[in-house]
Every structure is written in structure tokens, then in C-alpha cells.
Amino acid sequence: MKKQRRIQIILIITLSLSGFSSQLSAQAPAPVGPVPSERQVEWYHREIMAFFHFGMNTFCDMVNEGDGRAGTYLFNPTALDCNQWMKVLKSGGIPCGIIVAKHADGFCNWPSDYSDYSVKNSPWKNGKGDVVREYLDACKAAGIKAGIYVGPHDRHERLSPLYNTKDYSIHYASQLSELMRNYGTVWETWWDGAGADELTTPLYTRWADTVRTLQPKCVIFGTKNSYRFADCRWVGNESGFSGDPCWSTIDSLSIKEESDHITELNQGQVNGNAYIPAEVDVSIRPSWFYHKEEDGHTKTVKELWDIYCNSVGRNSVLLLNLAPDRRGLIPSDDSTNVAGLHSMITNSFKSNFAKGAKITALHTRGRNYNPSNLVDGNENTYFATKDKFKSDTITFKLDSRKVFDCLMLQEVIQLGHRTTGWSVDYSNNGKTWTPISEASNKQSIGYKWIVRFAPISASYVRLRITDGKACIALHSFGIYKQAKL
Ligand code: IPT
């Protein structure tokens, strides 16, 4: 009896202890460093957005930065149809698009109460038209998230001898309110830094207040003096590529002279104190606005695929500019290539050859965090290590020999940038390993990281997380064969 009792007690103690420890290990890892807001998490999931540069410049020969003097009589699209724009987005799998309501020349695509330099003084629809209204209505009907660009810099206003920044601050706030109040939900607004150097933080403070009050879901693209309010940053070029690494974090206050910080904008900073990820703006044509001379110079599907892999595939969001022509329609080459990019993406990532693999890791956190979560296609389940392990080796014994030329990783961004070093190797016997050089000594992961390389034939793949700020939290790993271009 005595012995039995002792065994019983030991059993109870062991069970409760193991219960306790498995409870501990079942806890989610704590976030590390700056983490994204809900707005930023939603923004990352858009992956690709469209930009629509359309306005007075469309009607001026080879002008992209009008001086604000072009006559309003010039603006006269012959067949504007924002529903056609939506079809292009749908065929491109693009969930969100930002329309230029007012570019630096100051011409307003909507009948602003605060300016005469607008559609209301143009021949289009006898001055009764409103491009912004048509655009937002089309977005709503198509289920596309609408964004509005209102250039902070306004050359037309500046022509006035009475111009001063104090009055302009009020003028801009009034126009911003019109757009944020009267057109429905606005998912992003864009504070272009081009020409906006004289605009100071106090001005942006007031404008940010307007945006935050009227449109709480609206992401602010900020530059220069507006970084303090920014949900996302400029990537430092207009060519379509993020840095390698590319951190979502950056020391926002260190950005003073933009030209001195192009590398930081492009790569972010691993220990940056603010979470301001990169948005990659690039045009599908050489210019931002449509010019007939550039017909035939639309970026090819191959060029767009490179851009996608070097932006979305580098922890950034792609903002791809489309330029409606003088009819007010997206030219057909451009819409064809947008759809071509979409097929390239879906076909390349449709089968993950790591699915069905036998997956092992050394420091799994507990049964809710198994490495099998990496291939289940569900971003709500993830692989994590125990708190004290910032590195691990995850081995995939594939269900058969596979040929692949691309890999993709995704971190749990809500928990902050964790991994800071990783490499991938392959093997055909599970004993001798060959590094994939393009995927060796990598640093950032974040929302999504894609690496491409020459085709490899292998039956084992191994992901080595070599360094981190805290224990690992990864939700996806995949190997793929790129579709044919
Ligand atoms: C550049 C601005 O300086 C930068 O702040 C950002 O707004 C960017 O444009 C957007 O593309 S100016 C450009 C001529 C490089």
C-alpha cells in the first residue's frame, strides 16, 4: 500500500509538472522589436497594388511634371472608363489601386471647392465630370480597395504671388478633407516627397490628423518630413527593387536628407526603432503618365516577374503604375502584361514540393508549433522554437526527388523581425549537403522572401536558421519550379 501510494504521488507530480511545462511551451512566442499595426498587416497582404497616373500631364506632350500652367481646356478624355481599369486589376489579381487625384502640377481630377484648376473648368463632360468619383465608384463595384494620391507639392498654387506655406497648409488640409470625407473608404494616401522639401513636420502633423480622424484604415505612404506618420516608406528608387536584406524597421528620425539615406530606405535597418516597411513604386512604362511615344515600351512579363520577386519577394509591397491614355483607358499591351504577371505568379507557386515531406527540427516549441505547419498553406499556424533557441535546422525529406528553382519563406510578421541569418542547402542522401549559393548567408525574411536559382534536383532540403533576435516564428517554407515565361 505504502509503495503504491508513493508511486501514485510520483505519478501525480510528474504529470502535473509535464502538464505545466507543456502549457509553458504551448504559449506563443513574445513579439520582439517594433511590430506592425493592424493597418500595416493588412497592407502587407495586398502584396501588389496599382498606381494610376492620369491627369493634365496625360494631355500634354511628354510631360510628367507639369508646371501648373497648362490650360484646363486640354483635359478631355474621350472614353474614360474606370470599370475597364478594374478589369485590369482583376485579371492581375491586384486588390488595391491608388488614383492620382492631384499631381505636382496642381490640376484636380475632382471638382474641388478650393481650386479652379480642375475638371470643372475642362471641356470633359461640360465641366460636370469627377474622375475621382468614377474611380471610387468603380472600385466599390469591383471590390477593389481604393487609395487616393494628393500630391503635397502644388505648382499651380505656388504660381500665386500670395502663396505661403501657412495658407497652403490650410488649403491642402481642405482638399484632403474633401477627398477623405466624400468618397467612401480610402485605403491609402500618398505623400510624395518630389518637390515637397519646403513642407515641414508641423504641416504633415495637421494633415495626418485629418487622415487618421476621417479614414482610420488609410495607410499613409510617407517620405522626408512625413516619416513620423508613415505606415510605409519609399524604397529609395523607382526601378522596382528592394534591398537584400530589406528590413521593415528603420530609424525614422535619422532620415533627414533623403539623398544621404537611399541605402537605409532600400534595406531598412535591422535594429531600427520604427516599423515602416518599404513600398516599391515603379511604372509599367518608362514614364508615370501615358505618352504615345512610349507605346511598345511596356515592361514585359519577364521584367515584371523580376520586379515582383525583387519587391514582394523582398519583404515589400509592389506599387505598379498603370497609365491610362488620352481615351481614359489602360492600353492593351499593359493590361496583357499585368495578366501575364498574374499567371506567372499563380503558376509558379501553385505546388510546393516540400509538401508531403517528412520534416524534422531540433528545437520545436511544442506540438502547436510543429515544423509541418511550414507547408500547410495556413498562415495562422507556424513553426516556432523554444524561447532559448534563436537558431535551428529544419530538414525536409521530400516524398520523391524534385526539380526546383525557387524558394519562398514567410515569417510571422505580427511577432516582429526575428530571424537575422539563414541559409538553404540540398542533398540527395541526407548526409552530404550542398549550399544553394543564392540562398546562403541571407538575413531578413519578414512578410515574404523569394530566392531564384538554376534548377536543382534533390530529395532533401534543409533550412538553417543561423541567427535571430529571438526564437524562430516562421509560417511558410516552400520550394517551387518557376512557370515558363
Ligand atoms: C522621389 C522623392 O524624392 C521621394 O521622396 C519619393 O516621393 C519618390 O520620389 C517616389 O517615387 S523624387 C523621384 C524623382 C526620384
Side-chain angles (χ1 to χ4, degrees):
M1 272 305 271
K2 242 182 154 184
K3 197 175 167 194
Q4 252 184 8
R5 179 78 189 140
R6 218 180 318 145
I7 291 174
Q8 226 177 21
I9 290 172
I10 291 172
L11 247 171
I12 289 169
I13 292 174
T14 333
L15 279 177
S16 57
L17 273 181
S18 68
F20 181 59
S21 74
S22 80
Q23 221 174 31
L24 260 191
S25 67
Q27 264 175 25
V32 62
V35 293
S37 65
E38 252 178 67
R39 259 198 312 271
Q40 290 168 318
V41 171
E42 182 277 317
W43 168 88
Y44 256 126
H45 283 84
R46 298 175 196 170
E47 300 203 356
I48 308 182
M49 304 193 291
F51 221 174
F52 292 102
H53 275 70
F54 182 67
M56 182 56 84
N57 294 340
T58 311
F59 298 88
C60 300
D61 292 335
M62 281 313 288
V63 173
N64 287 292
E65 297 259 339
D67 60 8
R69 293 172 202 267
T72 51
Y73 69 90
L74 289 168
F75 185 86
N76 198 9
T78 52
L80 178 79
D81 180 7
C82 295
N83 297 311
Q84 187 252 3
W85 307 7
M86 295 304 125
K87 284 192 192 129
V88 179
L89 299 200
K90 288 285 184 191
S91 73
I94 301 176
C96 177
I98 303 176
I99 188 172
V100 169
K102 181 183 85 167
H103 205 248
D105 59 282
F107 181 80
C108 302
N109 280 337
W110 81 105
S112 174
D113 282 345
Y114 303 92
S115 173
D116 290 331
Y117 198 50
S118 87
V119 282
K120 73 184 171 199
N121 286 317
S122 80
W124 180 60
K125 298 197 168 174
N126 295 319
K128 299 276 178 277
D130 182 343
V131 183
V132 177
R133 172 80 59 212
E134 292 193 21
Y135 177 76
L136 270 280
D137 287 352
C139 284
K140 197 168 177 199
I144 296 283
K145 290 174 175 169
I148 297 182
Y149 168 117
V150 210
H153 177 53
D154 188 326
R155 292 182 176 154
H156 186 79
E157 282 301 310
R158 285 216 67 170
L159 290 174
S160 159
L162 301 174
Y163 177 91
N164 62 71
T165 47
K166 192 165 160 282
D167 290 346
Y168 182 69
S169 168
I170 300 167
H171 174 82
Y172 185 87
S174 307
Q175 292 200 322
L176 194 61
S177 305
E178 269 184 326
L179 293 166
M180 295 284 152
R181 246 180 237 287
N182 303 334
Y183 290 85
T185 307
V186 179
W187 291 87
E188 181 153 337
T189 195
W190 233 76
W191 285 337
D192 201 336
D197 298 83
E198 66 178 4
L199 305 177
T200 56
T201 307
L203 269 63
Y204 285 111
T205 309
R206 171 187 191 137
W207 303 343
D209 219 43
T210 306
V211 176
R212 295 292 182 236
T213 310
L214 297 173
Q215 296 283 352
K217 289 180 181 162
C218 184
V219 166
I220 295 179
F221 170 96
T223 56
K224 297 179 178 169
N225 293 320
S226 66
Y227 274 112
R228 186 184 295 178
F229 314 101
D231 295 299
C232 60
R233 68 175 194 263
W234 185 42
V235 75
N237 65 70
E238 296 180 339
S239 313
F241 68 93
S242 303
D244 179 4
C246 183
W247 307 101
S248 308
T249 44
I250 189 160
D251 277 337
S252 56
L253 299 177
S254 77
I255 299 170
K256 292 198 182 86
E257 276 304 317
E258 187 178 62
S259 52
D260 295 340
H261 292 275
I262 295 297
T263 307
E264 281 91 336
L265 289 170
N266 196 231
Q267 303 189 346
Q269 290 165 296
V270 61
N271 291 315
N273 59 17
Y275 195 94
I276 315 178
E279 186 171 284
V280 181
D281 59 314
V282 57
S283 184
I284 196 163
R285 285 172 168 250
S287 296
W288 292 101
F289 286 88
Y290 175 83
H291 304 297
K292 201 172 175 16
E293 294 82 342
E294 294 179 352
D295 284 349
H297 294 276
T298 297
K299 289 189 174 67
T300 60
V301 175
K302 183 186 179 311
E303 287 172 306
L304 294 174
W305 170 240
D306 285 342
I307 287 173
Y308 172 85
C309 291
N310 292 331
S311 56
V312 179
R314 286 186 178 175
N315 187 34
S316 305
V317 168
L318 170 59
L319 178 58
L320 179 63
N321 181 60
L322 304 174
D325 59 20
R326 288 188 183 176
R327 294 171 303 168
L329 300 174
I330 312 289
S332 63
D333 279 3
D334 308 42
S335 54
T336 304
N337 292 357
V338 167
L341 172 63
H342 185 48
S343 326
M344 188 62 197
I345 298 167
T346 25
N347 293 334
S348 297
F349 294 113
K350 73 172 174 244
S351 37
N352 177 1
F353 300 139
K355 217 173 170 157
K358 185 168 176 293
I359 313 172
T360 53
L362 305 174
H363 308 301
T364 302
R365 194 175 183 84
R367 63 190 152 82
N368 290 339
Y369 302 96
N370 280 335
S372 56
N373 292 343
L374 289 167
V375 296
D376 67 0
N378 176 359
E379 69 168 311
N380 298 317
T381 63
Y382 57 96
F383 163 70
T385 48
K386 298 200 175 80
D387 280 345
K388 63 179 172 192
F389 295 104
K390 300 174 183 176
S391 59
D392 204 351
T393 299
I394 305 118
T395 307
F396 300 79
K397 181 176 192 275
L398 306 176
D399 58 8
S400 63
R401 203 168 161 130
K402 308 280 186 197
V403 177
F404 56 96
D405 60 6
C406 180
L407 61 85
M408 187 214 282
L409 280 117
Q410 295 191 276
E411 219 171 7
V412 181
I413 56 169
Q414 290 86 341
L415 299 177
H417 267 299
R418 311 178 74 85
T419 292
T420 57
W422 58 277
S423 290
V424 181
D425 318 310
Y426 68 94
S427 168
N428 274 305
N429 57 15
K431 291 187 188 92
T432 47
W433 294 90
T434 310
I436 301 175
S437 58
E438 292 82 355
S440 292
N441 303 314
K442 308 302 281 183
Q443 300 173 52
S444 55
I445 301 175
Y447 175 80
K448 190 172 266 192
W449 203 273
I450 296 171
V451 183
R452 294 172 294 162
F453 36 85
I456 285 171
S457 166
S459 37
Y460 293 81
V461 175
R462 169 172 95 170
L463 167 64
R464 282 180 295 118
I465 302 287
T466 51
D467 213 348
K469 296 185 187 190
C471 69
I472 301 164
L474 274 180
H475 77 73
S476 293
F477 175 83
I479 50 173
Y480 308 88
K481 181 80 187 67
Q482 293 169 65
K484 284 209 168 50
L485 277 162

